[in-house]
Amino acid sequence: MPPKAIDAAAVRALIETNPDTLLVDVRTPAEYESSHIDGAINLPLGQVDRHLERITQDAGGQMVLICQSGSRAEQCQGKLTKAGLEETVVMSGGMNAWTAAGAPVIRGPERWALERQVRLVAGSIVLLSVIAGLWWPPAVWVAGFIGAGLTFAAITNTCAMGMALTKLPYNQPRNKVDVEASLARISRNANQR
């Protein structure tokens, strides 16, 4: 079943007509801190598996999943659907589409999005391994390994490099994400109905 998605304009309209719509931002805490939609809660994708049962039991009503470009939100939606929670939609294009549409955001310290970091690291490793391969030919295998990893990431819609980069100090927020508060908000939204 293809993911259920709506565009940024439809999300804005949904928020206006139903203020109880729950916006769940599954990006890293640092990305969320950099910019997010007013009223959105931060529940990083890396925390979803750990709290999957609680989310599916407590969630209710309209839930919109958001990430930077849409792919992590789709992954989250897949996990939730597989666990029995089918009433979610993904904001197609993610925060990229939201900001491109001129929609309001709450801004914090500017940080590079995770996808941009992956492109920088992967591109740099490939470039350096090709240059090193001029002096030591086996170095080009590193470029091949990165290419294979990126191909696998595209096919499986996962990214090991991205998950590793989330652990770096740069990607840690100034204030730790309060997962319990996010889960409580999911539960509170369910109880309001």
Side-chain angles (χ1 to χ4, degrees):
M1 176 172 74
K4 293 180 273 184
I6 58 176
D7 64 16
V11 171
R12 285 183 84 175
L14 184 61
I15 294 168
E16 288 175 14
T17 59
N18 182 3
D20 290 333
T21 299
L22 184 61
L23 305 176
V24 180
D25 192 322
V26 299
R27 296 176 301 154
T28 66
E31 288 175 297
Y32 176 85
E33 186 178 71
S34 181
S35 71
H36 62 273
I37 300 169
D38 188 24
I41 64 169
N42 186 215
L43 184 62
L45 182 60
Q47 295 287 326
V48 171
D49 283 336
R50 185 176 305 146
H51 302 285
L52 192 58
E53 184 177 331
R54 184 170 169 193
I55 296 166
T56 57
Q57 287 177 353
D58 291 352
Q62 184 66 61
M63 185 184 298
V64 179
L65 304 171
I66 303 163
C67 67
Q68 192 64 37
S69 64
S71 64
R72 285 179 278 173
E74 288 175 3
Q75 287 177 44
C76 183
Q77 185 181 50
K79 292 173 189 245
L80 295 173
T81 300
K82 190 173 182 180
L85 181 61
E86 297 182 10
E87 298 304 315
T88 64
V89 293
V90 170
M91 184 171 73
S92 58
M95 288 299 292
N96 293 338
W98 184 264
T99 55
V105 295
I106 296 181
R107 297 218 179 261
E110 188 65 36
R111 300 213 176 134
W112 280 16
L114 191 59
E115 287 90 351
R116 185 176 182 190
Q117 293 176 51
V118 168
R119 290 191 302 266
L120 173 70
V121 171
S124 298
I125 292 171
V126 169
L127 177 63
L128 292 174
S129 64
V130 169
I131 291 171
L134 297 173
W135 291 277
W136 188 60
V140 298
W141 286 102
V142 174
F145 177 75
I146 296 297
L150 291 173
T151 302
F152 179 78
I155 291 170
T156 62
N157 201 23
T158 62
C159 186
M161 184 182 291
M163 295 313 289
L165 289 173
T166 64
K167 308 293 185 217
L168 294 176
Y170 173 80
N171 287 316
Q172 302 309 309
R174 290 183 182 166
N175 301 313
K176 194 122 173 106
V177 65
D178 189 349
V179 174
E180 279 303 315
S182 295
L183 293 170
R185 178 98 176 273
I186 289 172
S187 179
R188 187 171 63 243
N189 267 32
N191 292 333
Q192 288 176 355
R193 286 165 178 60

